[in-house]
Amino acid sequence: MDTKAKVRVRNLTKKFGDLLVLDDISFDIKKGEFVCIVGPTGCGKTTFLNLLVKLLEPTSGNIFIDGEEADPKKHNLSFVFQEQSAFPWLTVEQNIRFGQETKKRPKHETDNVTEYILDMLGLKEYRDRYPHELSASMEQRIVIGRSFAMKPDLLLMDEPYGQMDLKLRYYLEDEVIKLQTATKSTVIFITHNIEEAVYLADRCLILSQKPTTVKEEVKIDLPHPRDVASKKFIELREYITEQIKWW
Amino acid sequence: MAEKGKKMIYYILPVLSIGILVVLWGVLCVQKPDIMPTPAAVIKKIADITVNPISNATLPVHILVSLGRVLSAFAAACVFGIVLGILMGWYPTFHDIAWPVFEIIRPIPPIAWIPLIILWCGIGETSKVIIVFIGAVVPIVLNTYSGIRQVDPMLFKAAKSVGAGDRATMFEVVLPASLPSIVAGMKTSLSTGWMCVLAAEMVVARQGVGFLIVRGMDSGDSALILSGMVVIGVVSALITALLNRAEVKLCPWRTEQR
């Protein structure tokens, strides 16, 4: 295993009573890597993610960031959910500043990062608007901006585009790649959409049926922006789809 | 143009409905002139007591006295009610201890407390403020409590996901998220308080709008009674309008589009 890994997951196991949901999962993620996690429906992807951000405690095993046990107080673990989670009482700009301010980042740095993110996401002209005044996709971009603004050690995204149409998804996915490249963030992205996974990831982790383990890792060595119609892309997509099948 | 016409309607309709009320009142006066003073007589009475004092105070002074009682009780109710609501909403153990007591005391009308409060505190200002407080505190406690309980669990996760600790979560997420509910409770509280002060003043007072109504009853002056009632209605409507303004300022993200 890579000793320079940014994130190391070791023997992660979760039981709910007698039900074994995650069974001894181990893998590494390098700094700045974009990892997609795919798997059959109900395989415990969300449980897995909740463990990673410490919203749940594992039954055994652990997660290390830079060699230390992951701790939300010490590390920047950021999370984008499928549901809208912008704070409705804060404007777009205040939402993006929120995490930075609770982490007591110096003001000038917060100012700079906030400007950068607003600019990058094309939200500058909406900075004083409230989330409810904007569309659902805009609101999700606020949350994504808020997360990247944290300069997270690890950013976890749980089907953030679950409810959006195809065209918008490609647009937002390109945006995420741009942000990730610019901020050199390490990202774990969970999706059930394999095309999305192949479009985004440097590496795909394929999970098995319950009790969940990592069935296979697939490296995706294609340049961005990716061509969804290219032969290699389709091959990878079909291969991963085949691996997920449990019937 | 159509937009402008729509807006005009909003100004015309209230005037129209109040106009109809006054006309109906006028018709009633023609039927029973001996027990029902005309709108004109009431307006004349209001003008009269605005300059000529009753019980050493003109109408504006009576209104201010009543308002002073309401506002001091309201301020105390806000502090006490919000703190109690937060404690009950946030700490399950505290909720389990305090809620049953609150549930038993809550349904007792503030007016039922009047005799006991007078026995304890006499007939001075304190007893009136306490009676108003009892009425005003309940909606604030209830709304703060339910506001906190109804905070979207997603927002807790969101706060945690950007590294907010317990303190930051409380002050920067839970409180703002429950603010609309708390403000709604404050609105109810202020109008309940206004009702309670009149009840308290009708039982025992030498000044205040409630006192004017009782004085009207004692002296068989129905115009004075109705003047008091009209004043109550108008002041209450003004308070509500003011609170709606305050709500927009306090919770700008909740501004309802019209």
Side-chain angles (χ1 to χ4, degrees):
Chain A
M1 293 261 185
D2 187 355
T3 47
K4 279 192 205 156
K6 177 81 183 169
V7 181
R8 281 192 295 151
V9 176
R10 284 294 171 274
N11 312 104
L12 200 63
T13 302
K14 179 71 186 175
K15 282 183 189 167
F16 291 110
D18 286 336
L19 179 69
L20 181 62
V21 180
L22 297 183
D23 186 14
D24 196 23
I25 294 186
S26 297
F27 62 89
D28 287 353
I29 300 176
K30 286 195 286 261
K31 182 167 170 48
E33 199 177 13
F34 199 119
V35 173
C36 277
I37 293 180
V38 292
T41 315
C43 76
K45 288 186 292 250
T46 300
T47 306
F48 179 56
L49 215 65
N50 283 334
L51 286 169
L52 290 180
V53 275
K54 295 279 179 173
L55 287 172
L56 279 176
E57 278 301 314
T59 310
S60 65
N62 222 327
I63 301 147
F64 300 91
I65 292 175
D66 295 324
E68 280 180 288
E69 208 173 299
D71 176 359
K73 290 207 176 70
K74 205 183 311 166
H75 298 113
N76 276 336
L77 301 173
S78 214
F79 200 156
V80 178
F81 313 88
Q82 184 172 355
E83 303 89 345
Q84 307 293 341
S85 67
F87 297 117
W89 56 90
L90 300 179
T91 61
V92 171
E93 181 178 352
Q94 289 166 338
N95 259 290
I96 288 170
R97 298 181 76 97
F98 181 86
Q100 306 182 69
E101 283 169 357
T102 52
K103 286 270 177 184
K104 308 238 168 359
R105 185 180 278 176
K107 191 180 173 300
H108 68 275
E109 199 187 331
T110 303
D111 290 345
N112 291 341
V113 172
T114 306
E115 284 311 308
Y116 180 75
I117 298 276
L118 284 172
D119 193 31
M120 195 121 184
L121 291 175
L123 288 170
K124 264 193 163 161
E125 56 179 310
Y126 305 105
R127 64 194 312 153
D128 294 324
R129 305 284 279 276
Y130 289 99
H132 79 93
E133 299 174 303
L134 306 170
S135 67
S137 70
M138 282 280 230
E139 198 178 331
Q140 193 64 310
R141 283 155 83 187
I142 301 171
V143 177
I144 289 166
R146 184 175 73 193
S147 299
F148 275 106
M150 296 293 296
K151 292 192 180 157
D153 291 309
L154 178 60
L155 171 58
L156 296 114
M157 304 176 91
D158 185 7
E159 302 197 21
Y161 307 131
Q163 289 148 3
M164 289 166 206
D165 66 65
L166 204 65
K167 215 175 124 193
L168 195 60
R169 280 175 93 126
Y170 280 127
Y171 178 73
L172 294 168
E173 283 158 9
D174 285 338
E175 208 169 67
V176 159
I177 293 288
K178 256 196 325 196
L179 273 172
Q180 191 248 349
T181 317
T183 54
K184 298 183 185 67
S185 304
T186 309
V187 178
I188 296 183
F189 191 104
I190 290 195
T191 178
H192 62 263
N193 184 324
I194 292 154
E195 184 161 32
E196 181 170 62
V198 179
Y199 191 75
L200 289 169
D202 298 322
R203 192 151 53 104
C204 260
L205 298 184
I206 304 170
L207 300 184
S208 68
Q209 275 289 87
K210 267 191 202 119
T212 309
T213 52
V214 178
K215 192 173 169 188
E216 194 178 336
E217 292 187 18
V218 179
K219 210 167 161 51
I220 298 170
D221 204 2
L222 296 172
H224 286 289
R226 290 175 180 165
D227 176 8
V228 293
S230 75
K231 194 162 163 272
K232 182 84 181 143
F233 189 98
I234 294 170
E235 265 173 32
L236 278 164
R237 196 192 67 204
E238 284 174 350
Y239 177 74
I240 294 172
T241 310
E242 201 55 41
Q243 296 312 302
I244 286 174
K245 279 186 184 167
W246 67 92
W247 56 88
Chain B
M1 196 61 208
E3 193 63 21
K4 212 176 168 189
K6 240 183 187 174
K7 275 207 167 145
M8 280 295 285
I9 289 274
Y10 289 123
Y11 291 106
I12 292 168
L13 287 181
V15 177
L16 198 69
S17 64
I18 293 171
I20 292 172
L21 182 71
V22 174
V23 168
L24 284 176
W25 177 2
V27 171
L28 197 68
C29 298
V30 177
Q31 306 290 320
K32 300 263 181 195
D34 44 336
I35 54 164
M36 192 70 184
T38 59
V42 171
I43 290 167
K44 207 172 140 218
K45 189 77 195 177
I46 291 176
D48 175 39
I49 55 177
T50 304
V51 281
N52 301 317
I54 294 182
S55 181
N56 293 326
T58 56
L59 180 61
V61 175
H62 284 293
I63 294 173
L64 286 177
V65 166
S66 295
L67 270 179
R69 288 167 184 153
V70 174
L71 290 179
S72 39
F74 174 69
C78 284
V79 175
F80 183 81
I82 291 172
V83 171
L84 186 64
I86 290 173
L87 290 174
M88 286 206 294
W90 196 242
Y91 300 104
T93 319
F94 187 87
H95 168 266
D96 291 347
I97 295 168
W99 188 256
V101 179
F102 180 71
E103 271 300 297
I104 289 171
I105 295 178
R106 185 172 73 92
I108 303 171
I111 300 165
W113 287 90
I114 293 177
L116 203 57
I117 302 287
I118 289 175
L119 275 178
W120 288 343
C121 307
I123 53 168
E125 280 306 297
T126 322
S127 52
K128 285 169 208 98
V129 173
I130 291 176
I131 290 157
V132 178
F133 173 84
I134 292 170
V137 80
V138 171
I140 298 187
V141 175
L142 281 179
N143 275 46
T144 308
Y145 168 75
S146 62
I148 286 181
R149 293 305 290 254
Q150 281 163 18
V151 174
D152 184 354
M154 200 63 222
L155 297 175
F156 286 111
K157 277 167 92 180
K160 210 173 169 187
S161 83
V162 286
D166 283 348
R167 214 185 132 85
T169 305
M170 179 72 222
F171 287 99
E172 286 168 50
V173 177
V174 176
L175 275 186
S178 355
L179 195 59
S181 173
I182 297 175
V183 173
M186 286 163 75
K187 280 167 74 176
T188 317
S189 161
L190 205 47
S191 36
T192 313
W194 184 240
M195 283 189 242
C196 293
V197 80
L198 294 160
E201 285 170 356
M202 285 175 76
V203 176
V204 53
R206 276 189 293 269
Q207 279 181 346
V209 182
F211 160 80
L212 286 182
I213 294 177
V214 177
R215 171 60 68 91
M217 188 176 76
D218 291 345
S219 56
D221 185 348
S222 55
L224 183 58
I225 298 175
L226 267 158
S227 303
M229 290 169 68
V230 168
V231 167
I232 291 167
V234 171
V235 170
S236 184
L238 287 176
I239 289 175
T240 307
L242 218 70
L243 284 173
N244 286 339
R245 282 277 181 87
E247 193 176 22
V248 172
K249 280 259 181 276
L250 280 168
C251 314
W253 69 96
R254 293 280 298 226
T255 316
E256 270 162 39
Q257 308 290 331
R258 197 174 202 188

Short mmCIF file of all heavy atoms in Angstrom, two decimals, chain A residues 54-55 77-79 81 83-85 87-89 98 102 130 132 146 150, chain B residues 154-155 157-164 168 172-173 176-177 252-253 255:
data_model
loop_
_atom_site.label_atom_id
_atom_site.label_comp_id
_atom_site.label_asym_id
_atom_site.label_seq_id
_atom_site.Cartn_x
_atom_site.Cartn_y
_atom_site.Cartn_z
N LYS A 54 -17.60 10.51 9.59
CA LYS A 54 -17.75 10.39 11.04
C LYS A 54 -19.13 10.79 11.53
O LYS A 54 -19.30 11.20 12.67
CB LYS A 54 -16.68 11.19 11.78
CG LYS A 54 -15.26 10.68 11.53
CD LYS A 54 -14.99 9.51 12.43
CE LYS A 54 -13.61 8.93 12.20
NZ LYS A 54 -13.28 7.90 13.18
N LEU A 55 -20.12 10.70 10.64
CA LEU A 55 -21.49 10.87 11.11
C LEU A 55 -21.94 9.57 11.79
O LEU A 55 -22.87 9.54 12.57
CB LEU A 55 -22.44 11.24 9.97
CG LEU A 55 -22.33 12.67 9.42
CD1 LEU A 55 -23.18 12.83 8.18
CD2 LEU A 55 -22.69 13.72 10.45
N LEU A 77 -13.19 17.73 6.83
CA LEU A 77 -13.95 16.72 6.10
C LEU A 77 -15.21 17.40 5.62
O LEU A 77 -16.01 17.86 6.42
CB LEU A 77 -14.33 15.56 7.03
CG LEU A 77 -13.19 14.81 7.70
CD1 LEU A 77 -13.73 13.83 8.71
CD2 LEU A 77 -12.35 14.10 6.66
N SER A 78 -15.36 17.50 4.34
CA SER A 78 -16.53 18.20 3.84
C SER A 78 -17.43 17.24 3.11
O SER A 78 -16.98 16.22 2.59
CB SER A 78 -16.07 19.32 2.92
OG SER A 78 -16.93 20.39 3.05
N PHE A 79 -18.71 17.59 3.05
CA PHE A 79 -19.71 16.62 2.61
C PHE A 79 -20.77 17.34 1.78
O PHE A 79 -21.33 18.33 2.22
CB PHE A 79 -20.33 16.02 3.88
CG PHE A 79 -21.03 14.70 3.69
CD1 PHE A 79 -21.19 13.83 4.76
CD2 PHE A 79 -21.52 14.32 2.46
CE1 PHE A 79 -21.83 12.62 4.61
CE2 PHE A 79 -22.16 13.11 2.30
CZ PHE A 79 -22.31 12.26 3.38
N PHE A 81 -24.40 16.59 0.08
CA PHE A 81 -25.45 15.58 0.11
C PHE A 81 -26.30 15.63 -1.14
O PHE A 81 -26.28 16.60 -1.88
CB PHE A 81 -26.38 15.81 1.31
CG PHE A 81 -25.64 16.04 2.58
CD1 PHE A 81 -25.26 17.32 2.95
CD2 PHE A 81 -25.32 15.00 3.41
CE1 PHE A 81 -24.58 17.54 4.13
CE2 PHE A 81 -24.64 15.22 4.58
CZ PHE A 81 -24.27 16.49 4.95
N GLU A 83 -29.57 15.75 -0.95
CA GLU A 83 -30.61 16.73 -0.66
C GLU A 83 -30.00 18.12 -0.58
O GLU A 83 -28.82 18.27 -0.31
CB GLU A 83 -31.28 16.41 0.69
CG GLU A 83 -31.87 15.03 0.81
CD GLU A 83 -30.87 13.99 1.32
OE1 GLU A 83 -29.66 14.27 1.32
OE2 GLU A 83 -31.32 12.89 1.69
N GLN A 84 -30.84 19.11 -0.79
CA GLN A 84 -30.37 20.49 -0.71
C GLN A 84 -29.98 20.79 0.73
O GLN A 84 -30.73 20.51 1.64
CB GLN A 84 -31.50 21.45 -1.09
CG GLN A 84 -32.14 21.15 -2.42
CD GLN A 84 -31.21 21.38 -3.58
OE1 GLN A 84 -30.21 22.08 -3.45
NE2 GLN A 84 -31.50 20.78 -4.71
N SER A 85 -28.80 21.38 0.91
CA SER A 85 -28.42 21.67 2.29
C SER A 85 -27.79 23.05 2.45
O SER A 85 -27.01 23.27 3.36
CB SER A 85 -27.49 20.58 2.83
OG SER A 85 -26.26 20.62 2.13
N PHE A 87 -27.87 26.77 3.74
CA PHE A 87 -28.59 27.36 4.87
C PHE A 87 -29.54 28.44 4.35
O PHE A 87 -29.08 29.42 3.77
CB PHE A 87 -27.61 27.95 5.88
CG PHE A 87 -26.72 26.91 6.49
CD1 PHE A 87 -25.35 26.95 6.29
CD2 PHE A 87 -27.25 25.87 7.24
CE1 PHE A 87 -24.52 25.98 6.85
CE2 PHE A 87 -26.43 24.89 7.79
CZ PHE A 87 -25.07 24.95 7.60
N PRO A 88 -30.85 28.27 4.55
CA PRO A 88 -31.80 29.18 3.91
C PRO A 88 -31.73 30.61 4.42
O PRO A 88 -32.16 31.52 3.73
CB PRO A 88 -33.17 28.55 4.21
CG PRO A 88 -32.94 27.59 5.32
CD PRO A 88 -31.51 27.17 5.26
N TRP A 89 -31.20 30.81 5.64
CA TRP A 89 -31.18 32.18 6.18
C TRP A 89 -29.91 32.94 5.79
O TRP A 89 -29.74 34.07 6.17
CB TRP A 89 -31.31 32.15 7.71
CG TRP A 89 -30.25 31.31 8.37
CD1 TRP A 89 -29.04 31.74 8.79
CD2 TRP A 89 -30.31 29.92 8.63
NE1 TRP A 89 -28.33 30.68 9.31
CE2 TRP A 89 -29.08 29.55 9.23
CE3 TRP A 89 -31.28 28.93 8.43
CZ2 TRP A 89 -28.81 28.25 9.62
CZ3 TRP A 89 -30.99 27.64 8.83
CH2 TRP A 89 -29.78 27.31 9.42
N PHE A 98 -19.61 30.39 5.35
CA PHE A 98 -19.99 29.78 6.62
C PHE A 98 -18.93 28.87 7.24
O PHE A 98 -18.45 29.11 8.34
CB PHE A 98 -21.31 29.00 6.46
CG PHE A 98 -21.78 28.37 7.74
CD1 PHE A 98 -22.54 29.08 8.64
CD2 PHE A 98 -21.44 27.06 8.05
CE1 PHE A 98 -22.96 28.51 9.82
CE2 PHE A 98 -21.86 26.48 9.25
CZ PHE A 98 -22.62 27.21 10.13
N THR A 102 -16.57 29.36 10.61
CA THR A 102 -16.61 28.52 11.82
C THR A 102 -15.23 27.91 12.08
O THR A 102 -14.89 27.63 13.22
CB THR A 102 -17.65 27.37 11.75
OG1 THR A 102 -17.44 26.65 10.55
CG2 THR A 102 -19.06 27.88 11.78
N TYR A 130 -30.94 34.91 -1.62
CA TYR A 130 -31.12 33.77 -0.72
C TYR A 130 -31.36 32.51 -1.55
O TYR A 130 -31.92 32.60 -2.65
CB TYR A 130 -32.30 34.03 0.22
CG TYR A 130 -31.99 35.08 1.25
CD1 TYR A 130 -32.40 36.39 1.10
CD2 TYR A 130 -31.24 34.74 2.37
CE1 TYR A 130 -32.09 37.35 2.03
CE2 TYR A 130 -30.93 35.70 3.31
CZ TYR A 130 -31.35 36.99 3.15
OH TYR A 130 -31.04 37.93 4.07
N HIS A 132 -33.54 30.24 -1.57
CA HIS A 132 -34.89 29.94 -2.07
C HIS A 132 -35.25 30.76 -3.30
O HIS A 132 -36.21 30.45 -4.00
CB HIS A 132 -35.94 30.15 -0.96
CG HIS A 132 -36.30 31.58 -0.72
ND1 HIS A 132 -37.37 32.19 -1.34
CD2 HIS A 132 -35.72 32.53 0.03
CE1 HIS A 132 -37.44 33.45 -0.95
NE2 HIS A 132 -36.44 33.68 -0.13
N ARG A 146 -19.47 25.87 -1.16
CA ARG A 146 -19.21 25.95 0.29
C ARG A 146 -18.21 24.85 0.69
O ARG A 146 -17.32 25.08 1.51
CB ARG A 146 -20.53 25.77 1.03
CG ARG A 146 -20.44 25.91 2.52
CD ARG A 146 -21.82 25.85 3.16
NE ARG A 146 -22.36 24.49 3.13
CZ ARG A 146 -23.63 24.18 3.38
NH1 ARG A 146 -24.49 25.14 3.67
NH2 ARG A 146 -24.05 22.95 3.34
N MET A 150 -13.87 25.18 1.79
CA MET A 150 -13.25 24.70 3.03
C MET A 150 -11.84 24.19 2.79
O MET A 150 -11.13 23.86 3.73
CB MET A 150 -14.07 23.54 3.61
CG MET A 150 -15.47 23.88 4.03
SD MET A 150 -15.43 24.95 5.42
CE MET A 150 -14.65 23.89 6.62
N MET B 154 -31.09 17.63 7.98
CA MET B 154 -30.11 17.89 6.92
C MET B 154 -29.17 19.04 7.32
O MET B 154 -27.98 19.02 7.03
CB MET B 154 -30.91 18.29 5.68
CG MET B 154 -30.17 18.14 4.41
SD MET B 154 -29.76 16.43 4.17
CE MET B 154 -28.14 16.68 3.59
N LEU B 155 -29.74 20.06 7.96
CA LEU B 155 -28.94 21.24 8.31
C LEU B 155 -27.92 20.91 9.40
O LEU B 155 -26.83 21.47 9.41
CB LEU B 155 -29.86 22.39 8.76
CG LEU B 155 -30.82 22.90 7.70
CD1 LEU B 155 -31.75 23.95 8.26
CD2 LEU B 155 -30.06 23.47 6.51
N LYS B 157 -26.47 17.98 9.65
CA LYS B 157 -25.43 17.28 8.92
C LYS B 157 -24.58 18.28 8.14
O LYS B 157 -23.36 18.17 8.11
CB LYS B 157 -26.05 16.25 7.96
CG LYS B 157 -26.41 14.94 8.63
CD LYS B 157 -27.29 14.10 7.73
CE LYS B 157 -26.51 13.14 6.87
NZ LYS B 157 -27.40 12.32 6.01
N ALA B 158 -25.26 19.24 7.54
CA ALA B 158 -24.52 20.25 6.76
C ALA B 158 -23.56 21.02 7.66
O ALA B 158 -22.42 21.27 7.30
CB ALA B 158 -25.50 21.20 6.08
N ALA B 159 -24.03 21.37 8.87
CA ALA B 159 -23.18 22.12 9.80
C ALA B 159 -21.99 21.26 10.20
O ALA B 159 -20.84 21.72 10.21
CB ALA B 159 -23.98 22.52 11.03
N LYS B 160 -22.28 20.00 10.50
CA LYS B 160 -21.21 19.10 10.91
C LYS B 160 -20.22 18.89 9.76
O LYS B 160 -19.01 18.80 9.97
CB LYS B 160 -21.82 17.76 11.34
CG LYS B 160 -20.97 17.09 12.39
CD LYS B 160 -21.64 15.86 12.95
CE LYS B 160 -20.61 15.09 13.78
NZ LYS B 160 -21.12 13.80 14.23
N SER B 161 -20.77 18.85 8.55
CA SER B 161 -19.91 18.57 7.40
C SER B 161 -18.94 19.70 7.11
O SER B 161 -17.98 19.51 6.40
CB SER B 161 -20.77 18.31 6.16
OG SER B 161 -21.15 19.51 5.57
N VAL B 162 -19.20 20.89 7.64
CA VAL B 162 -18.21 21.96 7.46
C VAL B 162 -17.52 22.26 8.79
O VAL B 162 -16.96 23.34 8.99
CB VAL B 162 -18.81 23.25 6.84
CG1 VAL B 162 -19.09 23.04 5.37
CG2 VAL B 162 -20.05 23.69 7.58
N GLY B 163 -17.58 21.31 9.70
CA GLY B 163 -16.76 21.39 10.91
C GLY B 163 -17.31 22.27 12.01
O GLY B 163 -16.56 22.71 12.87
N ALA B 164 -18.62 22.55 12.02
CA ALA B 164 -19.18 23.35 13.10
C ALA B 164 -19.29 22.51 14.37
O ALA B 164 -19.79 21.38 14.32
CB ALA B 164 -20.55 23.89 12.70
N ALA B 168 -21.30 26.38 17.73
CA ALA B 168 -21.59 27.01 16.44
C ALA B 168 -22.89 26.46 15.87
O ALA B 168 -23.69 27.21 15.30
CB ALA B 168 -20.43 26.76 15.47
N GLU B 172 -25.43 29.25 15.25
CA GLU B 172 -25.40 29.65 13.84
C GLU B 172 -26.28 28.80 12.95
O GLU B 172 -26.47 29.11 11.78
CB GLU B 172 -23.96 29.66 13.34
CG GLU B 172 -23.21 30.86 13.90
CD GLU B 172 -21.73 30.75 13.68
OE1 GLU B 172 -21.35 30.48 12.54
OE2 GLU B 172 -20.96 30.92 14.64
N VAL B 173 -26.80 27.72 13.49
CA VAL B 173 -27.68 26.89 12.67
C VAL B 173 -29.06 26.74 13.32
O VAL B 173 -30.07 27.14 12.75
CB VAL B 173 -27.06 25.50 12.39
CG1 VAL B 173 -28.02 24.63 11.61
CG2 VAL B 173 -25.75 25.66 11.64
N PRO B 176 -30.93 30.39 14.00
CA PRO B 176 -31.48 31.01 12.79
C PRO B 176 -32.53 30.15 12.12
O PRO B 176 -33.53 30.67 11.61
CB PRO B 176 -30.27 31.20 11.87
CG PRO B 176 -29.09 30.71 12.58
CD PRO B 176 -29.46 30.27 13.95
N ALA B 177 -32.35 28.83 12.15
CA ALA B 177 -33.34 27.96 11.50
C ALA B 177 -34.68 28.04 12.22
O ALA B 177 -35.73 27.92 11.59
CB ALA B 177 -32.84 26.51 11.46
N PRO B 252 -35.39 37.93 6.56
CA PRO B 252 -35.56 38.39 5.18
C PRO B 252 -35.67 37.23 4.18
O PRO B 252 -36.27 37.38 3.13
CB PRO B 252 -34.29 39.20 4.92
CG PRO B 252 -33.32 38.78 5.96
CD PRO B 252 -34.11 38.32 7.15
N TRP B 253 -35.13 36.06 4.57
CA TRP B 253 -35.20 34.93 3.63
C TRP B 253 -36.58 34.34 3.58
O TRP B 253 -36.89 33.50 2.76
CB TRP B 253 -34.18 33.86 4.01
CG TRP B 253 -34.48 33.14 5.29
CD1 TRP B 253 -35.13 31.95 5.40
CD2 TRP B 253 -34.17 33.54 6.62
NE1 TRP B 253 -35.24 31.59 6.72
CE2 TRP B 253 -34.65 32.55 7.49
CE3 TRP B 253 -33.51 34.66 7.16
CZ2 TRP B 253 -34.51 32.63 8.88
CZ3 TRP B 253 -33.38 34.73 8.54
CH2 TRP B 253 -33.88 33.73 9.37
N THR B 255 -39.30 36.29 3.32
CA THR B 255 -40.19 37.27 2.74
C THR B 255 -41.14 36.60 1.76
O THR B 255 -40.70 35.99 0.79
CB THR B 255 -39.38 38.33 1.97
OG1 THR B 255 -38.28 38.67 2.78
CG2 THR B 255 -40.22 39.54 1.70
#
